[in-house]
Amino acid sequence: MAEAKPQKKFGDILVEGGLINATQLHQALAYAGERRIKLGKALQDLGFVNEVAVARTLASQLNIPFFDLEKIAIAPGIVTAIPELVARRHKVIALGRKLGEVMVAFADPLNIFAVDELGRYLKEKIVMSVAVESGIVAAIDRMYAQKSARASAAPGNVEESQAVTAVNDLMLLAVREGASDIHLEPTETCLRARSRVDGLMRVSREYPMELHPSIISRIKVMANMDIGERRKPQDGRFEMPVSGRDFDIRVSTLPIKNGEKIVMRLLDKGKVGNGFEELGLAADQAALFKKHLNNPNEVILVTGPTGSGKTTTLYAALNLINSIEKNIVTVEDPVEYDLVGINQVQVNPPAQLTFASALRSILRQDPDVVMIGEIRDVETAETTIQAALTGHLVLSTLHTNDSCGAITRLMDMGIPPFLIASALGAVIAQRLVRRLCKACRTPFHPPLKIQEELGLTHDPELTFYRIKGCPKCEHTGYRGRMAIFEALSITTGLERLIMERSSAPELYRQALQDGLVSLRRAGIAKVLDGLTSLDEVMRVTMDTRG
């Protein structure tokens, strides 16, 4: 049992301790609510506090010790008292044991769920203390790695311990690199680990093939999958805090020639709080998108290839219009992030719960706004159009190269042109481009010929940037990604062409006349701002028009 279970509210404790005032608390609560982040992070983002001051104030007000984990020695054996996943989930670490008591450092000593769960593992009395979250995360990384290393050196369970170490190492490396996916691929000679960073694959690690079964089994156990089934693909998931951030990890297995391959997709749960303004839309594009989001009965489509950020855009749009007065329902495959105040449905084909069947049921649930994860077939497309025509705002995605391609795709599916013209309000096409590393980007003046080809006004002083590479960007020249957009509004001119079953090039020419800024032009605007390179923009827009 714990020594105490504090019941005071976090914000009230900081006010009572004199760290912030009531006005700052009110501002931080509003900021946290808008971005769906914790109050502590909101206070730090607003510059009202730092994590050390927060931890010390909590310790003082709750009358429990504060520890600087960089200045104390943690007993090596004590960490085994708390399972690693539990320690990471609740951001706690056992510091020492004495006379039937275990001293545990908490990042959040007000977390009664953490206290309750620890009580199931620690049979002794829990003595609570406080440490900064970053210090606890670093200590967890360090101490559990040392525990695995000691276990690996001991006789017995060697491969199992090495598998635990390998999986933890891969997770830490992936988060540090900003990877979206980890691929574990058995080859003829080794188990190769590759990660997808900024959209491109790179080799991370290589392990002896002898470790392949134990590493795969370790991940399957974490994802609650059948470790005995190796002949059929499986899907699973697990949650894991890594380096102070909470990740939802989707796991997929696939039997290949040399054994089972596993892909883990890392979804940073903190990113769901990103707002509409952070998408990176140009001012006129954002205004157009917002105008259509306020229309009560139309279809808005977001298009682009897999991994282009469509789900992020849809979630940001839903967060923008989310309110207690609206019934918003989504159908997704899979549900990637939990959205507060929004009803989310997970597709389940074995139970005949498809996009189309779920949408039909949702329309009997008195919705105001419906989000369909993807239009994959004629049935879903027809139901989507009918939903808009009967008074609902519907958001969905299509896999097309650009905005006008979405119109012809619906025609190819057999949707009558008059229904498309009546229901479709806007199409947002997008791509992700890599950001130039600001630490090493190199300026240059593009030749006048290139300026002419890009349709720019001749300017001998015009500055672009090209990649160089440095340790901060792993010598790639890029760090992170951002979106570029093409925002198409269905105008009267486009409606006429749709009714005439015009081709995509004809639709595109009309859209340009109506003021459409193409994906490539949007990318070039980012080049002019020094945010990305011309080569990168040309690479990601090579399959688009203009």
Side-chain angles (χ1 to χ4, degrees), residues 524-537:
I524 290 171
K526 303 293 187 184
V527 173
L528 293 170
D529 290 338
L531 299 176
T532 190
S533 69
L534 181 60
D535 288 342
E536 178 69 0
V537 169

Side-chain angles (χ1 to χ4, degrees), residues 198-472:
D198 295 338
L200 301 179
M201 299 284 284
R202 64 171 67 165
V203 175
S204 305
R205 294 282 190 271
E206 290 185 349
Y207 302 98
M209 275 301 288
E210 298 80 57
L211 285 180
H212 176 231
S214 55
I215 290 176
I216 298 299
S217 294
R218 166 66 176 169
I219 295 170
K220 283 184 172 181
V221 168
M222 296 171 73
N224 197 27
M225 300 161 77
D226 184 354
I227 63 172
E229 179 57 74
R230 300 182 179 89
R231 298 168 298 173
K232 296 179 181 179
Q234 295 187 65
D235 294 299
R237 62 184 291 184
F238 62 93
E239 295 182 359
M240 185 175 185
V242 184
S243 297
R245 292 152 60 189
D246 294 325
F247 286 87
D248 189 359
I249 299 168
R250 306 294 168 86
V251 182
S252 171
T253 70
L254 181 68
I256 61 175
K257 184 181 71 170
N258 296 308
E260 279 186 290
K261 172 179 176 175
I262 274 190
V263 175
M264 294 182 285
R265 168 150 290 186
L266 281 64
L267 301 173
D268 188 344
K269 296 172 76 172
K271 287 187 176 179
V272 72
N274 288 347
F276 187 85
E277 304 303 329
E278 278 113 37
L279 287 175
L281 289 152
D284 55 341
Q285 293 175 331
L288 183 149
F289 200 174
K290 288 179 180 178
K291 182 189 81 170
H292 285 280
L293 286 171
N294 287 318
N295 288 343
N297 54 333
E298 68 177 34
V299 176
I300 300 175
L301 295 177
V302 179
T303 76
T306 300
S308 59
K310 299 188 295 296
T311 300
T312 299
T313 297
L314 286 176
Y315 279 3
L318 291 178
N319 281 332
L320 179 70
I321 61 176
N322 188 16
S323 72
I324 197 67
E325 292 85 14
K326 292 181 179 177
N327 178 21
I328 302 177
V329 189
T330 75
V331 187
E332 306 172 59
D333 184 21
V335 173
E336 294 196 4
Y337 297 103
D338 294 331
L339 299 175
V340 178
I342 292 176
N343 305 285
Q344 296 173 270
V345 177
Q346 169 71 55
V347 165
N348 186 3
Q352 284 75 53
L353 186 62
T354 64
F355 281 122
S357 65
L359 179 53
R360 286 195 298 271
S361 297
I362 287 169
L363 294 178
R364 296 191 288 271
Q365 290 277 311
D366 185 32
D368 297 293
V369 181
V370 180
M371 191 270 272
I372 308 298
E374 182 183 348
I375 296 176
R376 295 176 177 172
D377 51 52
V378 177
E379 186 181 10
T380 306
E382 289 175 341
T383 312
T384 297
I385 295 292
Q386 290 298 329
L389 293 175
T390 53
H392 306 88
L393 174 63
V394 185
L395 286 74
S396 191
T397 71
L398 268 179
H399 287 279
T400 62
N401 290 337
D402 55 28
S403 54
C404 291
I407 299 171
T408 54
R409 177 65 58 82
L410 292 174
M411 291 182 185
D412 292 342
M413 285 182 169
I415 306 300
F418 76 92
L419 291 180
I420 299 173
S422 300
L424 187 61
V427 183
I428 310 296
Q430 66 182 82
R431 291 289 191 282
L432 293 178
V433 296
R434 290 178 292 173
R435 288 180 177 271
L436 283 166
C437 174
K438 291 185 178 180
C440 66
R441 64 180 185 176
T442 305
F444 75 99
H445 299 300
L448 295 181
K449 181 180 179 181
I450 291 180
Q451 296 184 41
E452 185 176 333
E453 290 174 353
L454 297 177
L456 301 174
T457 304
H458 287 186
D459 181 359
E461 299 303 316
L462 183 66
T463 300
F464 282 5
Y465 290 86
R466 56 165 63 101
I467 66 171
K468 181 180 180 182
C470 69
K472 288 188 175 181

Side-chain angles (χ1 to χ4, degrees), residues 52-267:
V52 174
V54 169
R56 289 187 179 278
T57 301
L58 278 172
S60 174
Q61 290 294 301
L62 298 175
N63 196 29
I64 57 179
F66 166 81
F67 289 110
D68 182 344
L69 299 188
E70 293 183 356
K71 297 179 180 178
I72 67 170
I74 301 175
I78 191 63
V79 294
T80 59
I82 302 174
E84 182 178 354
L85 287 179
V86 175
R88 289 188 181 279
R89 178 163 59 248
H90 295 302
K91 299 178 179 64
V92 297
I93 190 165
L95 302 180
R97 178 184 280 117
K98 182 180 179 182
L99 299 176
E101 297 180 341
V102 179
M103 176 68 75
V104 180
F106 289 73
D108 180 6
L110 301 173
N111 185 348
I112 60 173
F113 301 104
V115 176
D116 288 342
E117 185 167 4
L118 289 180
R120 294 199 292 269
Y121 296 100
L122 301 174
K123 303 309 178 186
E124 301 120 310
K125 182 180 180 181
I126 298 173
V127 180
M128 300 179 69
S129 62
V130 183
V132 297
E133 182 176 309
S134 60
I136 289 177
V137 170
I140 289 172
D141 292 343
R142 182 177 68 255
M143 298 304 297
Y144 283 92
Q146 291 176 7
K147 183 194 77 170
S148 297
R150 289 193 301 274
S152 298
N157 298 324
V158 172
E159 287 189 4
E160 181 181 350
S161 299
Q162 289 176 329
V164 172
T165 302
V167 173
N168 288 349
D169 172 61
L170 281 173
M171 294 295 180
L172 290 169
L173 178 62
V175 172
R176 189 162 60 244
E177 291 181 334
S180 60
D181 302 85
I182 301 171
H183 292 238
L184 282 164
E185 305 162 322
T187 69
E188 297 285 351
T189 58
C190 69
L191 177 63
R192 181 178 64 186
R194 292 195 294 165
S195 55
R196 187 176 295 279
V197 180
D198 295 338
L200 301 179
M201 299 284 284
R202 64 171 67 165
V203 175
S204 305
R205 294 282 190 271
E206 290 185 349
Y207 302 98
M209 275 301 288
E210 298 80 57
L211 285 180
H212 176 231
S214 55
I215 290 176
I216 298 299
S217 294
R218 166 66 176 169
I219 295 170
K220 283 184 172 181
V221 168
M222 296 171 73
N224 197 27
M225 300 161 77
D226 184 354
I227 63 172
E229 179 57 74
R230 300 182 179 89
R231 298 168 298 173
K232 296 179 181 179
Q234 295 187 65
D235 294 299
R237 62 184 291 184
F238 62 93
E239 295 182 359
M240 185 175 185
V242 184
S243 297
R245 292 152 60 189
D246 294 325
F247 286 87
D248 189 359
I249 299 168
R250 306 294 168 86
V251 182
S252 171
T253 70
L254 181 68
I256 61 175
K257 184 181 71 170
N258 296 308
E260 279 186 290
K261 172 179 176 175
I262 274 190
V263 175
M264 294 182 285
R265 168 150 290 186
L266 281 64
L267 301 173

